[in-house]
Amino acid sequence: MARPKDWQPLRESDPVPGDPVTVREQVKHMKTIAEYLRTQAAALNAMADADNLKGQYAEKLGEDSRALGRKLDEAEDRYREVKGHLSGWAEDLEGFQKRADKALGDAKDAQRIIDAHENKPDSDKKAKDGDEKDKKGDKDDKDSDSEDPALKKAKEDLSNARGRLNSAAGDYDERASHYAGKIRKSIDDDMEDSWWNDFKAWVADADWIGDWADILSWAATIVGIAAMFFPALGVIALVLTAIVAVAHLVQAATGNGSWFDVVMDIGALKMARNGVKAAKAIKMLQQSSRKAASGVAKEGAEAGAAATRKNAIKNAAKGEKKKAGRSGGDRQRNRARRLKMEQKNRTAGKKAGEEVRDAEMPQITAQEKAGALGDAQLGKQVKDINKWRDAYPDNTKLADNAREAARQKDALRGSWAVGTGLDAADKSGDSVSGGEYSRMKDRMTTPVPGTSRW
């Protein structure tokens, strides 16, 4: 049965929380485990005492079987004792909750009477006070100011209900501590828990893991939304999401959290990673386009200078033919002229390449900035890629870079939109469904006592 959520006018919240039904289900499960351990221990002891085993392995097998049987006996004792303590706690818990619920019901009835009296018009109160005076004979001033008997009784009932609730809550705390001590004593035996059991217990007690996971999860959501407009923040969102995913993974693996949260974290982590990769890819494509355009400009400048040099040499050759002969000095001068022109060609090509490489990034319009999710740098990189594609339309590499940059920009926007949308939906699930979302996640991921999913 669901517990009352509104504890006014007595308390702010339930002073005797718990679910006796769930505790009893756990008791049944532990009883099943104890019986199973007892059966297995008996089987191992029988194996150890068997005299039909022959060979060198028989003695070793008998020793190991007896040792394991003793451990199972100890585990069975632990389960049996804890089961008994939990069974007693379930009975007491149910009694405390019945007392508390009865006190709450009486308090609400009394409070309704008090509220009804306080909300009465002043004329009704005065008329009723006059009737009371006539009945009592108006003996003295004290009698004339006496309270309405129904109101007085309601206040007494409210005070009595508050006292009964405080008593039930005090008994609840006392018995809870009592059974907790009993359970700790029962598990404080010769059995040594594995490091994994110790780790699971540590995680269960480390409330700060869940608290910090919630804080960092909200931080990742906020940064993720900002990264939709400023992709440079994507790395921060990715790191925060990864930390939250690790925290949820640790909690789920130790039985202290929901695997559904881990699945959601993995989805958000993948989207954040895709966004970061897309932003890096666009930057690399812009650098590649600059380099390719610089090479094309250099080759073009060198080719143009070479053509000019070729024409100059051709004209010079025509002039030489007019002469009857050519001296050795003329040949040396022509060779020096050619070398000088070749050097000028290389210089012209280098200069053209440097001009492309060092050119300022293009300015973008407000529309282009919006298309890049508000990231001006990303918008400039995409526009620069398209600029060199248009400057050298015959270059296939520049055309391929432009197409890939457009694809990566779409992937960037889609990744942050999907990842942030999933995260926001997960966080708002309870507010929309009235808590059903969390209960659904628990049913999907939390082991159920007494079933094969435990």
Side-chain angles (χ1 to χ4, degrees), residues 366-410:
Q367 184 178 359
E368 289 169 334
K369 184 176 180 181
L373 300 177
D375 188 338
Q377 184 63 25
L378 180 69
K380 291 179 180 180
Q381 290 171 350
V382 173
K383 189 170 184 177
D384 193 58
I385 293 171
N386 295 333
K387 168 187 171 182
W388 299 117
R389 175 203 60 191
D390 297 338
Y392 303 104
D394 296 332
N395 188 277
T396 57
K397 183 175 180 60
L398 292 173
D400 291 341
N401 284 355
R403 283 191 295 270
E404 181 63 16
R407 191 183 73 82
Q408 292 292 346
K409 187 173 75 169
D410 291 340

Side-chain angles (χ1 to χ4, degrees), residues 210-273:
D211 294 340
W212 273 104
D214 291 340
I215 294 172
L216 294 178
S217 178
W218 277 105
T221 300
I222 295 172
V223 177
I225 293 174
M228 293 176 61
F229 304 97
F230 305 99
L233 297 175
V235 176
I236 300 176
L238 179 63
V239 171
L240 291 174
T241 304
I243 294 173
V244 173
V246 170
H248 284 163
L249 178 61
V250 169
Q251 289 181 316
T254 56
N256 299 291
S258 169
W259 283 106
F260 190 84
D261 286 335
V262 177
V263 173
M264 294 294 289
D265 290 338
I266 291 174
L269 190 62
K270 181 174 177 57
M271 291 297 102
R273 180 172 174 269

Side-chain angles (χ1 to χ4, degrees), residues 23-273:
V23 176
R24 289 192 177 99
E25 289 177 351
Q26 177 65 14
V27 169
K28 291 179 181 178
H29 174 65
M30 297 186 76
K31 181 180 178 181
T32 301
I33 295 295
E35 292 173 351
Y36 179 77
L37 290 173
R38 189 182 305 115
T39 301
Q40 295 303 312
L44 287 169
N45 289 329
M47 182 186 297
D49 295 336
D51 55 3
N52 59 344
L53 296 177
K54 305 297 182 182
Q56 296 181 352
Y57 71 92
E59 183 177 351
K60 177 63 175 175
L61 180 61
E63 292 177 358
D64 292 345
S65 297
R66 273 188 288 270
L68 183 56
R70 285 193 297 271
K71 290 183 178 180
L72 291 181
D73 281 333
E74 292 174 355
E76 188 271 334
D77 289 341
R78 176 185 287 191
Y79 271 92
R80 179 167 41 79
E81 290 183 8
V82 172
K83 173 184 69 69
H85 301 324
L86 287 177
S87 180
W89 168 241
E91 294 297 325
D92 287 354
L93 175 60
E94 190 171 52
F96 298 144
Q97 291 183 341
K98 288 180 179 179
R99 289 165 56 188
D101 295 351
K102 180 65 169 61
L104 178 62
D106 294 343
K108 286 185 177 294
D109 291 340
Q111 188 64 47
R112 276 193 289 270
I113 295 174
I114 296 173
D115 292 341
H117 183 275
E118 291 179 350
N119 293 331
K120 280 184 179 180
D122 292 340
S123 58
D124 291 347
K125 294 181 182 179
K126 291 178 180 178
K128 191 163 186 177
D129 290 342
D131 291 341
E132 291 296 328
K133 289 179 181 180
D134 292 340
K135 291 178 181 179
K136 296 180 180 180
D138 196 11
K139 295 180 180 180
D140 51 33
D141 292 341
K142 183 175 182 181
D143 289 338
S144 65
D145 296 332
S146 62
E147 286 185 320
D148 183 331
L151 176 60
K152 183 176 181 180
K153 184 176 186 306
K155 290 182 177 180
E156 291 174 352
D157 290 344
L158 179 59
S159 178
N160 178 268
R162 183 172 286 107
R164 285 186 285 129
L165 181 65
N166 291 338
S167 175
D171 292 342
Y172 170 93
D173 293 336
E174 187 277 325
R175 296 308 289 171
S177 298
H178 168 78
Y179 284 113
K182 287 282 188 181
I183 292 173
R184 281 193 293 269
K185 185 176 180 181
S186 295
I187 64 177
D188 186 18
D189 50 27
D190 293 335
M191 287 189 65
E192 293 185 0
D193 291 332
S194 66
W195 68 268
W196 179 245
N197 288 331
D198 291 337
F199 180 69
K200 289 194 293 184
W202 177 80
V203 173
D205 294 335
D207 294 334
W208 60 269
I209 294 179
D211 294 340
W212 273 104
D214 291 340
I215 294 172
L216 294 178
S217 178
W218 277 105
T221 300
I222 295 172
V223 177
I225 293 174
M228 293 176 61
F229 304 97
F230 305 99
L233 297 175
V235 176
I236 300 176
L238 179 63
V239 171
L240 291 174
T241 304
I243 294 173
V244 173
V246 170
H248 284 163
L249 178 61
V250 169
Q251 289 181 316
T254 56
N256 299 291
S258 169
W259 283 106
F260 190 84
D261 286 335
V262 177
V263 173
M264 294 294 289
D265 290 338
I266 291 174
L269 190 62
K270 181 174 177 57
M271 291 297 102
R273 180 172 174 269

Side-chain angles (χ1 to χ4, degrees), residues 332-347:
Q332 290 292 335
R333 284 191 294 274
N334 289 336
R335 187 179 300 110
R337 190 183 302 113
R338 286 196 299 272
L339 291 175
K340 185 177 181 181
M341 295 182 71
E342 289 175 358
Q343 180 63 33
K344 288 182 177 180
N345 293 344
R346 287 192 293 270
T347 301

